[in-house]
């Protein structure tokens, strides 16, 4: 069943048609019985009229008659006194009073025999097929309005069912327009009794989901927050131990460096977990303002430049001024994650390119690198939390926690932007590279950006 409305329409019309058919059949049978009685009385009346007509007994008279009836008048001694032109010269029926059915002249006839007071025998016949034809016409005229009324009834039923299902449509519309992160109860006003169980069950499900997500967020955020202090303490002790060994001229064991690296990785993981849950669109208190994305990218590159310099990587910024409506803290975090990923996965001496361009009704931020890239079949999954291509360590042997692109995706959702992954223009035969493009929609932010530029120019002139 694809449509409740169509199912109800077909079911109701079928029921109405069946009831009308049964009623019409019963009416047809009753009408035919009544018509039979009327026709029989008409034939008997004709016989009475013939009995009252004086007839010359010298020769049989032939009277022109229509095709509906035929008659014969016989004397007491069996002599034919008068007949209709469509009646045979031989007796039709018997002399006993009453009705019978006979065949003559190629038709089936209803014959009425009646003896008169003067000893004559009157026999009047009427064609059976004409009787049924007249009865059918009467019944058809009574049934035709019912048949014509079925489409009208169907239209009325369609409208009534549509009105009755309006509450269900409102419920479906409310569910359809709910955002993925919106788990608030349904607010359907005065739902009918039939929908109350569905609304209550859906609200209960949404409440359980909200509680489950809240527990997950609280646990992850609290765990990450509580881990900061012991990790910082461990890091301090490890640094103190390394300093003491260095001052005492004792060669530090290789495990100490591994310990420091593991502590740094754990601290990065905790920080990324905090950023991930902080950037959840439904919980982050964003403060949108007009931001020059090109200038912001330049500032973040300058902040992270020492990391690129240590790896002897070449980084360039292309594009021009492009304003968007955005939250500065979130956009800085987005740029930091994209650039840190590019720095980690681009080999020593590789290239990284950042481009900010206005394209139609969008501002596109693109970060490209000459690293190993991401296979086509893996590009959808890298936005999942803690997912890394190739497992815990990438082919590049770079440690990570698998949260960077998840944070980028959350921040993009916060700004109603789209994140696209593709091949890099910096690729070569050994490294296909990766291009991450974040497409921000431009609406009123462009007008504010233009006004901002005009004010800045006026200030420079003055």
């Amino acid at each position: 069943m694809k449509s409740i409305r169509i199912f109800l329409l077909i079911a109701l019309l079928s029921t109405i048609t069946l009831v009308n058919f049964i009623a019409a059949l019963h009416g047809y049978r009753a009408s035919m019985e009544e018509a039979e009685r009327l026709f029989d009385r008409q034939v008997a009346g004709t016989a009475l009229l013939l009995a009252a007509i004086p007839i010359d007994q010298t020769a049989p008279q032939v009277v022109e008659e229509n095709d509906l009836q035929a008659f014969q008048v016989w004397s007491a001694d069996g002599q034919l006194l008068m007949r209709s032109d469509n009646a045979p010269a031989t007796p039709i029926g018997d002399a006993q009073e009453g009705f019978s059915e006979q065949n003559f002249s190629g038709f089936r006839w209803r014959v009425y025999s009646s003896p008169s007071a003067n000893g004559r025998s009157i026999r009047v016949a009427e064609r059976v097929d004409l009787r049924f034809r007249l009865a059918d016409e009467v019944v058809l005229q009574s049934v035709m309005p019912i048949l014509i009324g079925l489409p009208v009834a169907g239209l009325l039923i369609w409208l009534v069912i549509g009105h009755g299902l309006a509450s269900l449509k409102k419920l479906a519309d409310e569910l359809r327009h709910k955002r993925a992160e919106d788990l608030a109860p349904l607010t359907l006003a005065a739902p009918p009794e039939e929908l109350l169980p569905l609304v209550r069950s859906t609200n209960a499900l949404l409440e359980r989901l909200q509680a489950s997500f809240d527990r997950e967020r609280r646990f992850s955020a609290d765990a990450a927050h509580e881990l900061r202090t012991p990790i910082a303490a461990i890091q301090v002790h490890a640094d103190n131990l390394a300093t003491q060994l260095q001052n005492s001229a004792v060669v530090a064991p290789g495990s100490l460096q591994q310990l420091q690296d593991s502590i740094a990785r754990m601290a990065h993981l905790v920080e990324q977990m905090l950023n991930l849950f902080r950037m959840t669109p439904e919980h982050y208190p964003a403060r949108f303002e007009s931001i020059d994305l090109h200038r912001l990218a330049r500032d973040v590159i300058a902040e992270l430049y020492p990391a690129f310099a240590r790896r002897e990587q070449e980084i360039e910024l292309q594009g021009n001024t492009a304003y968007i409506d955005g939250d500065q803290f979130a956009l800085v975090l987005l740029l930091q994650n994209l650039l840190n990923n590019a720095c980690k996965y681009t080999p020593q001496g590789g290239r990284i390119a950042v481009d900010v361009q206005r394209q139609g009704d969008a501002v596109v931020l693109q970060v490209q690198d000459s690293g190993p890239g991401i296979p086509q079949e893996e590009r959808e999954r890298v936005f999942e939390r803690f997912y890394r291509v190739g497992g815990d360590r990438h082919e590049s042997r770079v440690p990570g926690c698998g949260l960077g692109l998840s944070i980028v995706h959350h921040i993009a959702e916060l700004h109603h932007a789209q994140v696209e992954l593709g091949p890099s223009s910096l690729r070569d035969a050994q490294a296909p590279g990766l291009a991450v493009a974040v497409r921000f929609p431009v609406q009123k932010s462009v007008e504010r950006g233009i006004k901002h530029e005009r004010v800045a120019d006026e200030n420079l002139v003055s």
Side-chain angles (χ1 to χ4, degrees):
M1 181 180 62
K2 295 183 178 180
S3 171
I4 296 178
R5 195 175 192 179
I6 295 177
F7 170 77
L8 290 176
L9 176 65
I10 294 175
L12 290 175
L13 280 181
S14 300
T15 303
I16 293 173
T17 304
L18 178 62
V19 171
N20 284 336
F21 174 76
I22 295 175
L25 182 61
H26 181 270
Y28 177 79
R29 294 178 61 183
S31 299
M32 287 299 297
E33 291 176 358
E34 183 63 26
E36 284 287 333
R37 287 193 290 270
L38 290 175
F39 288 134
D40 286 347
R41 285 198 292 269
Q42 180 182 358
V43 171
T46 303
L48 291 175
L49 290 175
L50 290 173
I53 298 175
I55 302 175
D56 185 9
Q57 298 184 1
T58 57
Q61 302 178 16
V62 179
V63 179
E64 185 177 354
E65 186 60 84
N66 55 34
D67 293 333
L68 297 179
Q69 289 185 344
F71 65 85
Q72 291 177 338
V73 180
W74 295 86
S75 64
D77 57 0
Q79 182 181 358
L80 179 61
L81 302 178
M82 186 171 62
R83 67 179 179 87
S84 62
D85 59 348
N86 57 351
T90 57
I92 54 175
D94 51 28
Q96 296 180 356
E97 183 177 7
F99 288 93
S100 63
E101 291 189 1
Q102 302 290 330
N103 295 327
F104 61 87
S105 300
F107 294 100
R108 185 75 171 172
W109 299 79
R110 176 80 167 168
V111 181
Y112 174 69
S113 298
S114 173
S116 64
N118 52 15
R120 296 176 183 174
S121 176
I122 311 298
R123 302 175 188 181
V124 181
E126 191 172 55
R127 282 174 51 180
V128 174
D129 62 315
L130 296 178
R131 282 189 167 199
F132 280 107
R133 185 184 305 171
L134 292 174
D136 289 343
E137 290 178 359
V138 173
V139 173
L140 183 61
Q141 290 177 1
S142 62
V143 172
M144 188 59 66
I146 299 177
L147 298 178
I148 296 176
L150 281 178
V152 179
L155 177 60
L156 293 176
I157 292 172
W158 179 269
L159 296 176
V160 170
I161 293 175
H163 179 72
L165 295 177
S167 298
L168 185 61
K169 185 177 184 298
K170 290 180 182 178
L171 177 62
D173 290 339
E174 185 171 352
L175 289 172
R176 186 183 304 112
H177 291 97
K178 260 186 175 294
R179 295 178 301 172
E181 66 275 7
D182 182 12
L183 297 178
L186 300 175
T187 58
L188 191 65
E193 294 183 1
E194 291 79 7
L195 276 185
L196 278 176
L198 177 60
V199 173
R200 290 169 181 167
S201 301
T202 304
N203 285 338
L205 175 61
L206 293 174
E207 185 178 354
R208 292 196 298 271
L209 287 174
Q210 182 67 59
S212 176
F213 289 153
D214 288 342
R215 286 194 299 269
E216 179 189 356
R217 295 188 186 99
R218 283 197 301 270
F219 173 78
S220 301
D222 293 346
H225 188 272
E226 292 299 325
L227 285 173
R228 266 180 162 180
T229 301
I231 290 175
I234 295 172
Q235 191 168 15
V236 169
H237 290 306
D239 291 342
N240 290 338
L241 178 60
T243 302
Q244 291 175 4
L245 291 176
Q246 185 177 3
N247 293 338
S248 61
V250 178
V251 178
S255 58
L256 179 59
Q257 183 61 44
Q258 294 177 356
L259 175 62
Q260 290 178 314
D261 292 342
S262 297
I263 294 172
R265 183 182 177 191
M266 187 178 297
H268 175 70
L269 171 61
V270 170
E271 195 64 31
Q272 288 290 75
M273 287 177 64
L274 284 174
N275 289 333
L276 176 66
F277 290 102
R278 188 185 298 146
M279 288 298 113
T280 304
E282 64 269 21
H283 290 93
Y284 179 70
R287 297 179 59 185
F288 284 85
E289 56 184 325
S290 183
I291 295 176
D292 182 357
L293 191 58
H294 187 270
R295 177 181 295 180
L296 189 64
R298 183 189 63 192
D299 295 340
V300 175
I301 290 174
E303 178 187 346
L304 300 179
Y305 187 77
F308 299 112
R310 283 194 300 269
R311 294 175 61 84
E312 300 178 355
Q313 293 168 341
E314 177 186 345
I315 183 168
E316 59 178 328
L317 175 63
Q318 302 172 345
N320 45 41
T321 300
Y323 283 91
I324 65 169
D325 280 333
D327 180 88
Q328 183 162 345
F329 177 81
L331 291 174
V332 167
L333 190 58
L334 178 141
L335 284 163
Q336 287 175 345
N337 276 279
L338 291 178
L339 292 172
N340 281 330
N341 274 358
C343 180
K344 285 194 301 183
Y345 294 111
T346 300
Q348 189 88 5
R351 294 176 58 198
I352 299 171
V354 181
D355 185 28
V356 179
Q357 294 282 351
R358 173 72 186 273
Q359 296 180 3
D361 58 351
V363 170
V364 180
L365 165 68
Q366 188 175 58
V367 178
Q368 301 187 78
D369 60 53
S370 58
I374 298 176
Q376 176 72 34
E377 62 274 9
E378 300 280 354
R379 289 176 186 169
E380 290 296 327
R381 297 202 59 192
V382 294
F383 296 109
E384 299 176 8
R385 293 176 295 176
F386 302 106
Y387 180 80
R388 299 196 71 211
V389 178
D392 185 55
R393 288 184 177 271
H394 195 271
E395 295 177 356
S396 60
R397 301 296 181 184
V398 176
C401 60
L403 290 177
L405 287 178
S406 295
I407 296 173
V408 169
H409 191 263
H410 276 196
I411 297 174
E413 284 186 340
L414 183 68
H415 291 80
H416 304 288
Q418 296 178 344
V419 184
E420 301 171 356
L421 304 181
S424 172
S425 61
L426 306 178
R427 62 184 180 274
D428 54 33
Q430 288 74 30
L434 177 67
V436 182
V438 185
R439 186 177 297 273
F440 296 90
V442 176
Q443 297 175 356
K444 296 181 180 179
S445 59
V446 176
E447 300 176 4
R448 289 204 297 267
I450 294 174
K451 291 181 180 179
H452 180 80
E453 288 181 347
R454 289 177 179 173
V455 171
D457 292 341
E458 290 175 359
N459 291 338
L460 289 174
V461 172
S462 61

